[in-house]
Amino acid sequence: MSTADISRMNPAQQQAVRYLDGPSLVLAGAGSGKTRVITSKIAYLVGQCGYEPRHVFAVTFTNKAATEMRERLVKILGSERVSELSISTFHALGVRLLRQEARAAGLKPGFSIMDAQDAFGLIQSLIATTDKARLKAIAQQISLWKNALVDPDTAAAQAQNAQQVDAARVYHSYQATLRAYQAVDFDDLIRVPCELLATDTQIREKWQNQVRYLLIDEYQDTNACQYELVRHLTGVRAMFTAVGDDDQAIYGWRGATMQNLARLQQDYPELKLIKLEQNYRSTQTILAAANNLITRNPKLFQKQLWSELGTGEAISVTRMDGELEQAQAVAMRVSAARTEKRAAWRDFAVLYRSNQQARVMEQALRDLRIPYTVSGGQSFFDKAEVRDILAYLRLLANDQDDPAFIRAATTPRRGIGQATLQLLGEYAAKRHLGMLAAAGEQGMQALAQPKQLQALQGFVGFMQRFAMRAARPASQEPVAALLDELMGAIHYENYLYDVSSDDRAARARWQNVLELLDWLKSRATETGWGLSELVQHVALVTMLERQGEQSTDTVTLSTLHAAKGLEFPHVYLIGIEEGLLPHLGRESDEQSLAGSPERIEEERRLMYVGITRAQRSLHLTWCARRRRGGQEQACELSRFIEEMGLQAQPELADPGASLTPKGRLDMLKAMLAKPGGT
C-alpha cells in the first residue's frame, strides 16, 4: 500500500494505521471506516513494515466480515500475499488451533463440531424432557459458563439458585458426553484453545511466535474467554490493535462484556486510545438523533459522531393504528419512495426488535409484489435434507459422533427402530464406546434380536467400508467421487420422493442436496482438504452468508441484532414502543424494567445501532394498539423517541379503521396513485 493511500485518510485513521509502539484500542464509531482502517493497517504491516503475511492475524465475528477484508486486501497486496494472511472468525481460528493441537486437547484430528441443534438435542436426551423453555435456559446457562471459562465443578460450587444447580448437573454430564463423542460445541472452539494456551507453555510459545501481530474486529462483542485467547496469543509483546465501539455493544445476553474494554486499560497501561468520530455513512440529522440517544448511557469513553454529508431529510415519527396498518403503510411508502427517489429495492431496509414482527410485514410486501429477503432466516444448513447428508459425512469423519449415527441409521429408513437404538445406546454407554463401534461387538450381538441385528450390522458394515476409504488421503480417494458413490448407495433421492408431499417438493429438496454436494466438491478442490476437514469447515459456515455475497435487488427485513454491520440508504424502524423497544422480555411489568438499568442501556445501544444503519433517510413508526396474548392492548410511544430529541407527528384520523384488510390495502393503493400521494 502506498503512503499516498494512507494520506487520503483522516488524521485519526492515519494514526490508527501507523501506530506500532504497543497495544492500541481504536474506538470506531458507526460508519467511521473501521474496516478500511483494519485492512489498511494489515497492508501497512506487510507492505511497509516488513511483517511476513503468515505472521499477521485478523479475527472477526462473521465469515462475511472476514471475506470483505480479504477481498479489499487482494486489491492492495495481491492474491498471493493475501493467501498467506490469517483472516478468519474467532471460531475458525479455534478450529485451526485444535486441528494442530488435537492430541494435547485430548481429541483426535477428526473431532466433530456439534452445531446448536445437535447440542440442544444432546441436552434434551440427558434430561429427558420436552420442556423447551427449560432446555433453552439450561443450554444458554452452559454457554455463558463456557464463555466465562467456568468448568462444571466450579459451576456447581457457584450455583446460586435451583435453576443453576439443575444446569450445573446437566453441564457435567454434557461435557462428559462430548468427550465420549470426541466432539466439541461452538463455545468449546474458543474455550479449549484458550485453556490449552494457558496451561501448556510449549504450545503457547509456538503460537505466540506465529502471531506476531493481531487485529481484532468488533472488540466490544468479545466475551471473557475471547479476551483471554487474545491475551495468550499476543503474550508480553502485546502487538495488537483492537477495534470496537462501546456504543454498539448489544450482545450481553450471549456473554459479551464491555468490561473487556476496561480490562484493556488495566492490563495494558501503555494502551494507545484512538477515536474515530467522523462518520462517512449518515447525514448530520441522523447522527444528531443517535448522539442525543446514546448520551443517556454511562460512558467508558466520550465521543461524538459528526458528518460532512449535510443536514439531510428530517426523521419522521408516525403513529399507526395497529400492526396491519403499520405493515401496509410501510410497504406502500417503500414502493412510492423507490419510484420518487429512483432507487433500487436493495436501498431499503425494514428493521425491528423481534422476529415475530416480520410475519405481517412479509405479507404486506407480498401483497404489493415487493421482493424481499429476511436476514437471519433459516440457514441452508438447517434444512432437514442437508442435515441428513451431513450426518453421514460427520459419521465418516468421526465414528464417535452418536447424534450423526442416529440420524444416518434412520434416514432413509432401513429397519433400525427406536427399540434397537435404545438398546444400542445403553450398551454403548456401559462400554464407553461410540454407537458405531459398540454395534460391532459380540456383547451387543448377543443382546439384539436377529431382525434387529441384521439391519444394524448391514448399516455398520456399509459405514465402515466407506469410512476406510474416507480416511485415505484426498489424492488417493477424491472427495467428489466418494460423495457421488455415497449418494448412489443410500438412494436418498428415491427416499425424498417417497416422503415428500409432492414431486415438486421432492425436486426442491433434492436440488438442495445437489447444491450442498457441488459446494463441498468445490471446497475440496480449492483447499485440497479431505472429508474430515470439510466436515469441520461446514460447521463454521452458513450458506446464508455465502449467498449474501451475491448482490440481489430485494428489500431487507431484519432484526436489529442481525442488521449490525450493515447500511442502507433508507431505513424504516418499526414498532418503536415501550415494552417492545426497549424490550420488556418475559418480565411483564414496568417496575422490573425500571429496576434493570443495564438492560435499558443495552436496549438503548440496540436502538442506536438501528438508527446508525441509515444513510440518507430514517423513518420510525409505532402502533397505538397491538395484540398480545390474544388480547388487544394499548401501546405507548418508546422513551427513546424523546431521548432522540424527536416528537411524534400529530395523530391523524384513520379513514380505513373500519375497513377490511383488503379494503384498507385498496384504499392505500388509491391514495398512492394520486399526484403527490405519500
Side-chain angles (χ1 to χ4, degrees), residues 581-596:
L581 188 64
H583 191 51
L584 276 172
R586 294 187 179 272
E587 296 86 11
S588 59
D589 65 291
E590 183 69 23
Q591 203 170 13
S592 73
L593 186 62
S596 179

Side-chain angles (χ1 to χ4, degrees), residues 120-132 134-135 138 166 169-170:
F120 195 83
L122 177 56
I123 292 171
Q124 186 172 24
S125 70
L126 290 172
I127 58 178
T129 183
T130 57
D131 185 345
K132 289 293 175 54
R134 183 188 173 202
L135 285 166
I138 289 173
D166 184 32
R169 178 182 58 79
V170 177

Side-chain angles (χ1 to χ4, degrees), residues 382-399:
D382 286 335
K383 297 180 184 295
E385 58 273 18
V386 173
R387 290 176 63 81
D388 287 343
I389 303 306
L390 289 178
Y392 282 89
L393 304 186
R394 285 166 48 194
L395 189 58
L396 289 174
N398 178 10
D399 60 6

Side-chain angles (χ1 to χ4, degrees), residues 136-274:
K136 188 177 178 180
I138 289 173
Q140 186 173 16
Q141 182 61 69
I142 290 173
S143 178
L144 290 172
W145 276 326
K146 288 191 175 188
N147 290 335
L149 290 171
V150 176
D151 61 38
D153 291 338
T154 305
Q158 295 179 350
Q160 297 179 346
N161 51 51
Q163 288 77 19
Q164 288 188 356
V165 170
D166 184 32
R169 178 182 58 79
V170 177
Y171 184 16
H172 196 281
S173 301
Y174 175 71
Q175 283 303 101
T177 307
L178 285 179
R179 285 195 297 272
Y181 288 178
Q182 283 287 289
V184 293
D185 62 17
F186 262 38
D187 296 318
D188 287 333
L189 294 178
I190 312 294
R191 182 189 64 82
V192 177
C194 189
E195 291 180 349
L196 268 180
L197 293 170
T199 57
D200 193 312
T201 305
Q202 188 174 355
I203 291 176
R204 183 169 64 250
E205 289 177 352
K206 169 188 170 183
W207 278 87
Q208 286 178 357
N209 284 329
Q210 285 185 246
V211 184
R212 300 296 177 86
Y213 203 97
L214 178 65
L215 299 101
I216 310 105
D217 188 23
E218 303 286 6
Y219 181 77
Q220 77 283 344
D221 294 335
T222 56
N223 55 44
C225 191
Q226 288 160 334
Y227 180 88
E228 291 300 319
L229 184 68
V230 168
R231 195 169 65 84
H232 292 315
L233 285 172
T234 56
V236 293
R237 287 198 302 266
M239 293 301 288
F240 66 82
T241 295
V243 182
D245 183 7
D246 54 332
D247 291 333
Q248 297 188 72
I250 59 173
Y251 294 114
W253 52 274
R254 70 182 189 193
T257 172
M258 285 209 299
Q259 288 303 311
N260 285 353
L261 288 161
R263 283 188 66 185
L264 275 182
Q265 292 185 307
Q266 295 166 8
D267 293 347
Y268 304 94
E270 71 279 26
L271 182 76
K272 179 70 173 179
L273 177 65
I274 303 167

Side-chain angles (χ1 to χ4, degrees), residues 26 45-46 64 103 178 190 200 211 288 357 415 422 469 501 509 551 569 587 594 645 660:
V26 179
L45 289 165
V46 174
K64 184 178 179 182
R103 185 182 296 275
L178 285 179
I190 312 294
D200 193 312
V211 184
Q357 295 170 262
Q422 187 173 348
R469 295 172 59 188
S501 55
R509 295 181 69 187
S551 178
E587 296 86 11
T660 64

Side-chain angles (χ1 to χ4, degrees), residues 477-532:
E477 193 75 58
V479 170
L482 196 67
L483 290 173
D484 288 339
E485 195 171 333
L486 179 65
M487 287 301 98
I490 65 175
H491 305 293
Y492 193 78
E493 184 178 9
N494 294 339
Y495 161 76
L496 288 178
Y497 279 91
D498 288 341
V499 299
S500 298
S501 55
D502 53 53
D503 286 357
R504 185 177 176 182
R507 281 195 299 273
R509 295 181 69 187
W510 179 241
Q511 192 58 45
N512 287 333
V513 172
L514 294 177
E515 184 178 344
L516 170 70
L517 296 174
D518 287 345
W519 183 71
L520 288 170
K521 291 173 185 177
S522 68
R523 291 299 292 155
T525 302
E526 292 167 8
T527 62
W529 287 343
L531 196 63
S532 177

